[in-house]
Amino acid sequence: MSEVFNVADIFGEDVFNDGVMQERLPKKIYKDLKRTIQEGKELDLATADVIAHEMKEWAIEKGATHYTHWFQPLTGVTAEKHDSFISAPLENGKILMSFSGKELIKGEPDASSFPSGGLRATFEARGYTAWDCTSPAFVRHDAAGATLCIPTAFCSYTGEALDQKTPLLRSMEAINEQSIRLLRLFGNTTSKRVTPSVGAEQEYFLVDGNKFFQRKDLIYTGRTLFGAMPPKGQELDDHYFGTIRQRIAGFMKDVNKELWKVGVTAKTQHNEVAPAQHELAPIYEKANVAVDHNHLVMQTLKRVACQHGMKCLLHEKPFAGVNGSGKHNNWSLTTDDGKNLLEPGKTPHENIQFLLVLCCILKAVDSHADLLRESAADPGNDHRLGANEAPPAIISVFLGEQLEDVMEQLIITGEATHSIKGGRLQTGVRTLPDLAKDATDRNRTSPFAFTGNKFEFRMVGSRDSIAGPNVVLNTIVAEAFSEACDVLEKADDFSMAVHDLIKKYAAEHQRIIFNGNGYSDAWVEEAKKRGLPNIKSMVEAIPALTTDKAIEMFERFKVFTRAELESRAEIKYENYAKAINIEARTMIDMASKQFIPAVIKYTKSLADTVIAVKAAGADASVQAEALEEVSQLLAKTKQANVKLSELVDEAASMAEGESRARFYYFNVVPAMKALRAPVDKLEMIVDKEMWPMPSYGDLIFEV
């Protein structure tokens, strides 16, 4: 019988949340902590000691024996070092369980082996983790027992950010400060804080664990480097929103339960377009909490999949020929008293504050399209972006019919006088009610789409942290708000000045608005005419980080220093080269040790068959033709494998950095495709019993 539980009873039970703090902390301590969380006031050590003691006691009641500062270095995954609560033994041989405010606020993991892009030499080991009290601590239960996890930022001994969270928190301060400036101009004196609100939809694949371990490419790289398409793919669209299989449903139930316990608001689950592909979406929350929770989602998906005898694939393109996986980043701005700055209302043409916010965002995206594109760049996304399954590599903004009409009115006449209404949708069936119809449709081909009261950035890769994209979004919009405020604060006639500024921004940045089919070749040509960048790869996107324009903006809003930006660019070049090197070496290994020996064995079987058939006096032409075809493909495989090996050796002799990354992209990647082509053809010919690994059909239809 299936386990029965009440979601309301278990939600947040393993989180040191506001309710727990209010219950366990002395009133003054609780108020001081809330003031720190809400206003950024510094927390004194005595207060921290009390919080740490109560947090420890609560965690021990949950079974915790260790605590960890849980942080997000520039490796793409989270990191942690576990310390037990035990202190030095007493004279009677007993021990005390202790956890101080100093241990809560600051940790000191070795920083020498984390990526720093030259900010730190290997011998300069000291780094610090600092408690992010705005993201609640939680207890994680796994094979290690129970561990108190404290979300933290991570920086070097000299203060540079070595993680994803530090610049995110800085960018949140920047957007808050500039948003408040804007609100005050419109007469809002009650809102005290504006916070980016984020919801990250997570796509993923599930495959059988036994089959996973039979493929070196999945083990080493997270994606299939070889594989012929099965007779059936996703062309019938029957998997999308289809009935969830029982094995998958059991997995989803356990994922939800684990996530709800640690306060993740897992809301939506369904089958995605590709076979074996699924999606999980949470409710929106503060940007830094959303980033932490998305990491928890990815870790939980992987852990629970193993418990169910499966493997969760988060790579952006684990299988060629079917849709890859993204992570739609839904972003909006919300005040502490519940106002959404991206809520247009029923008559957006009359909502002047909304129109200015909207036009500032258009300006921000148009001015920094290269940075936004770079924020979603990784080696896996190179396979996905620009294909007819994901947004194109060209940044554009979808506004929908209603807002596009308002923009056209502003551009053409200088004034918006009306808004398109939603109306009613008539189903034509008497027993069904007529439905309220939105004022505009949606556009799944747009990389940056307005969807009612938020923007959906659809480019982000499925395994990536959403911190980077939100750092960019927060900062570029903060810059646009700041520049608007600089103009409006000097204006003698505010109403006229804001009207002129909206019209100016709408006219200057209308090129970024595109409501059509982003998959079409016509759009590529049109975007070129508009002067929009078409950045097709990660290595071509990375330079956006270190342009003079980017450095000036990030330094002005204290989000990144020049050194931090240059280090991040260096890390990304290194990561790209290392990722492609691992993939190429895996292909060489598989071709040399698996495919070529298997095909040689098959050709011997064919040759023996040809001899036997001829000896029997029968026609052996079919067998001979098959032998000839397989032998030719085998020769191409061998030749391509040798060529790839030579290129990988050449790349290894190059110094790390941009030139090496570009060599991998422009030389090694094409050689990898050249090796894959004959192997995939051979898979369609060679006896399945002799093929050395599970096929695509085995992986995506047998789970």
Side-chain angles (χ1 to χ4, degrees), residues 642-660:
V642 170
K643 177 63 176 176
L644 180 58
S645 298
E646 292 171 350
L647 289 170
V648 168
D649 289 342
E650 184 177 348
S653 67
M654 301 173 67
E656 289 185 339
E658 180 178 0
S659 59
R660 189 182 191 186

Side-chain angles (χ1 to χ4, degrees), residues 70-74 130-136 150-154 161-172 287-289 291-293 465 467-468 471 568:
W70 188 67
F71 60 103
Q72 301 162 25
L74 300 175
W131 177 34
D132 173 18
C133 61
T134 63
S135 183
I150 304 160
T152 57
F154 178 48
L162 295 176
D163 67 340
Q164 302 274 20
K165 172 162 280 193
T166 302
L168 177 67
L169 294 172
R170 293 171 181 171
S171 74
M172 291 172 68
N288 63 314
V289 177
V291 170
D292 288 350
H293 282 179
S465 169
V471 167
R568 274 164 165 72

Side-chain angles (χ1 to χ4, degrees), residues 97 173 253 289 304 374 434 436 506 547 603 648 655:
M97 305 289 272
E173 284 301 314
K253 184 195 75 171
V289 177
V304 176
E374 193 285 326
D434 290 341
T547 63
T603 56
V648 168

Side-chain angles (χ1 to χ4, degrees), residues 218-274:
L218 286 178
I219 293 171
Y220 295 138
T221 74
R223 77 177 181 103
T224 54
L225 301 171
F226 300 95
M229 276 298 293
K232 180 180 183 290
Q234 65 186 51
E235 58 270 32
L236 294 180
D237 298 321
D238 53 338
H239 189 259
Y240 192 47
F241 280 28
T243 302
I244 299 171
R245 297 180 186 176
Q246 290 300 291
R247 185 181 186 187
I248 306 303
F251 158 82
M252 288 180 171
K253 184 195 75 171
D254 288 348
V255 166
N256 286 330
K257 184 178 179 182
E258 293 300 308
L259 291 176
W260 290 332
K261 285 181 177 180
V262 292
V264 178
T265 53
K267 173 74 172 177
T268 303
Q269 61 189 31
H270 61 85
N271 290 347
E272 254 299 332
V273 174

Side-chain angles (χ1 to χ4, degrees), residues 204 338 510:
Y204 60 95
Q510 61 178 309

Side-chain angles (χ1 to χ4, degrees), residues 238-356:
D238 53 338
H239 189 259
Y240 192 47
F241 280 28
T243 302
I244 299 171
R245 297 180 186 176
Q246 290 300 291
R247 185 181 186 187
I248 306 303
F251 158 82
M252 288 180 171
K253 184 195 75 171
D254 288 348
V255 166
N256 286 330
K257 184 178 179 182
E258 293 300 308
L259 291 176
W260 290 332
K261 285 181 177 180
V262 292
V264 178
T265 53
K267 173 74 172 177
T268 303
Q269 61 189 31
H270 61 85
N271 290 347
E272 254 299 332
V273 174
Q277 187 185 34
H278 312 278
E279 182 177 299
L280 183 154
I283 298 172
Y284 310 101
E285 49 200 345
K286 285 193 306 181
N288 63 314
V289 177
V291 170
D292 288 350
H293 282 179
N294 184 246
H295 277 291
L296 278 175
V297 166
M298 291 189 285
Q299 292 168 1
T300 303
L301 288 171
K302 289 184 175 182
R303 177 164 52 85
V304 176
C306 290
Q307 294 168 357
H308 283 255
M310 296 184 288
K311 282 289 182 177
C312 174
L313 307 181
L314 293 176
H315 194 283
E316 288 75 21
K317 194 71 172 178
F319 302 101
V322 298
N323 278 16
S325 295
K327 179 149 48 190
H328 302 167
N329 186 88
N330 296 279
W331 178 90
S332 61
L333 294 170
T334 309
T335 67
D336 56 333
D337 49 356
K339 298 181 179 69
N340 183 349
L341 272 60
L342 291 177
E343 179 59 62
K346 294 183 179 179
T347 54
H349 69 283
E350 297 175 336
N351 190 339
I352 303 303
Q353 178 182 297
F354 166 76
L355 288 178
L356 180 60

